[in-house]
Amino acid sequence: MERGHVPVLLEEVLAALKPRKGKTIVDCTVGLGGHAAEFLKKKARVIGLDLDPANLDRARAALEEAGGDFALHHSNFAGLPTILAGEKVDGILADLGVSSPHIDDPKRGFSYRKPGPLDMRMDPTRGVPASALLDRMSEEELAQAILELGDEESAPAIARLIVERRPLRSTQELSALVCEARDFTIQRAAGAKLHPAARTFQAIRMLVNRELPNLERLLAVLPDCLKPGGVAAIISFHSGEDRRVKQAFRDGLRAGIYDQAADDPVQATPEERRVNPRAAAAKLRWARRSKK
């Protein structure tokens, strides 16, 4: 595992999924392998998926160090049934959002603080970059997406400037444009607790990678991928994602698909938030497949 990487809500995930010898756990967003390595240490078999082929290389090193039975697949988690090919498993984890290497590498185009191409694709081998998406969306579509996916109140002003100034080709251009729309100087933005471009970058990243449609597909296929008594655990960082997970698990309880689910989202302790600031926004929800 890369130095300094801390998997979010690790103890809470272990408590929900209870990995042990004889169990198979799927990590749908294996990332740097933090959660998956701990599953292996508990002697569980691990199946790992990631949309980014570079993450698979990083995860493989961490899992080989942990030792045990694992397999890695280059796949979107919406394609989980294809990967499992009819196999049912004991636990499924999805840690949504962006991984630290995406933010740390300016060439990937996720960072609003570092200059780079306006890309934001988690899988750079497919799909269209953010620059191309912004070129073709209408002002109304952009405003709606930035508001709904970024909870950004200045979405109309930002969308208007994007349309006026496009084509945009760099993260610097987009970040400066958002600062202008929100009446932030570059100096003031640099010192802000939450950078003024953070919500807009989040919204565009979610659009580029079709994160909400893919999550909805995952929620739909989860029950058929779990053994009776198997547990699904999902960590979200966005209110729209959390609402969808909450509703899907509640609907599953009513329908008898799940027989138990977390009443409230599990969140990081103050101690974890101090050590790992990313954990502050994390919400973990879990549900258990009905044993009937």
Side-chain angles (χ1 to χ4, degrees):
M1 195 186 311
E2 292 192 9
R3 188 181 303 275
H5 174 63
V6 182
V8 169
L9 294 171
L10 176 60
E11 294 305 319
E12 292 81 358
V13 167
L14 294 175
L17 296 180
K18 299 178 175 59
R20 62 174 183 268
K21 188 174 182 179
K23 280 192 172 187
T24 296
I25 308 293
V26 176
D27 189 336
C28 290
T29 48
V30 71
L32 299 182
H35 291 105
E38 295 301 320
F39 301 155
L40 287 176
K41 291 175 184 177
K42 300 290 185 182
K43 308 303 181 184
R45 170 181 168 239
V46 170
I47 299 172
L49 283 64
D50 206 282
L51 192 56
D52 187 342
N55 274 352
L56 293 177
D57 292 336
R58 299 180 182 103
R60 184 172 286 106
L63 301 191
E64 287 174 348
E65 183 178 344
D69 184 5
F70 71 88
L72 295 177
H73 301 270
H74 179 208
S75 174
N76 189 311
F77 52 60
L80 180 59
T82 301
I83 297 298
L84 293 181
E87 178 183 358
K88 296 186 185 293
V89 299
D90 301 283
I92 298 173
L93 170 67
D95 181 358
L96 307 178
V98 65
S99 64
S100 54
H102 294 145
I103 299 296
D104 294 340
D105 182 358
K107 294 190 297 293
R108 299 299 301 272
F110 289 90
S111 176
Y112 42 81
R113 295 186 184 275
K114 300 175 183 177
L118 195 54
D119 194 315
M120 300 195 194
R121 288 174 295 172
M122 292 183 184
D123 183 353
T125 68
R126 65 185 73 176
V128 298
S131 56
L133 196 66
L134 296 183
D135 280 350
R136 70 189 190 198
M137 291 179 70
S138 70
E139 182 177 327
E140 292 74 20
E141 289 171 331
L142 283 167
Q144 182 178 5
I146 294 169
L147 177 61
E148 292 182 356
L149 300 178
D151 298 320
E152 175 54 73
E153 294 180 356
S154 300
I158 294 167
R160 184 164 54 253
L161 275 187
I162 288 174
V163 171
E164 288 176 2
R165 306 282 177 81
R166 62 190 182 189
L168 303 174
R169 293 293 178 260
S170 73
T171 54
Q172 277 180 307
E173 287 180 278
L174 180 59
S175 183
L177 180 151
V178 175
C179 289
E180 180 182 341
R182 297 194 59 197
D183 198 25
F184 273 74
T185 64
I186 299 300
Q187 292 75 16
R188 182 181 165 214
K193 184 175 181 181
L194 179 68
H195 193 284
R199 292 190 176 97
T200 297
F201 270 66
Q202 171 185 282
I204 294 170
R205 184 206 81 216
M206 294 180 74
L207 275 177
V208 167
N209 295 288
R210 293 180 49 79
E211 292 180 36
L212 286 185
N214 288 332
L215 172 59
E216 289 171 350
R217 172 62 180 162
L218 175 64
L219 292 169
V221 303
L222 276 178
D224 288 338
C225 296
L226 288 167
K227 293 178 180 178
V231 174
I234 299 181
I235 301 172
S236 63
F237 296 84
H238 177 262
S239 59
E241 293 171 334
D242 182 58
R243 283 195 300 270
R244 284 163 171 79
V245 176
K246 177 181 178 180
Q247 191 61 52
F249 287 170
R250 282 188 173 180
D251 290 346
L253 280 172
R254 295 191 191 99
I257 296 170
Y258 299 115
D259 61 14
Q260 192 174 354
D263 293 328
D264 298 300
V266 180
Q267 296 182 268
T269 63
E271 291 76 15
E272 180 176 3
R273 295 181 189 201
R274 282 195 292 270
V275 173
N276 186 10
R278 179 174 179 260
K283 293 182 178 181
L284 168 67
R285 293 187 185 271
W286 60 266
R288 187 178 70 184
R289 185 72 166 92
S290 174
K291 295 182 178 180
K292 295 181 181 179

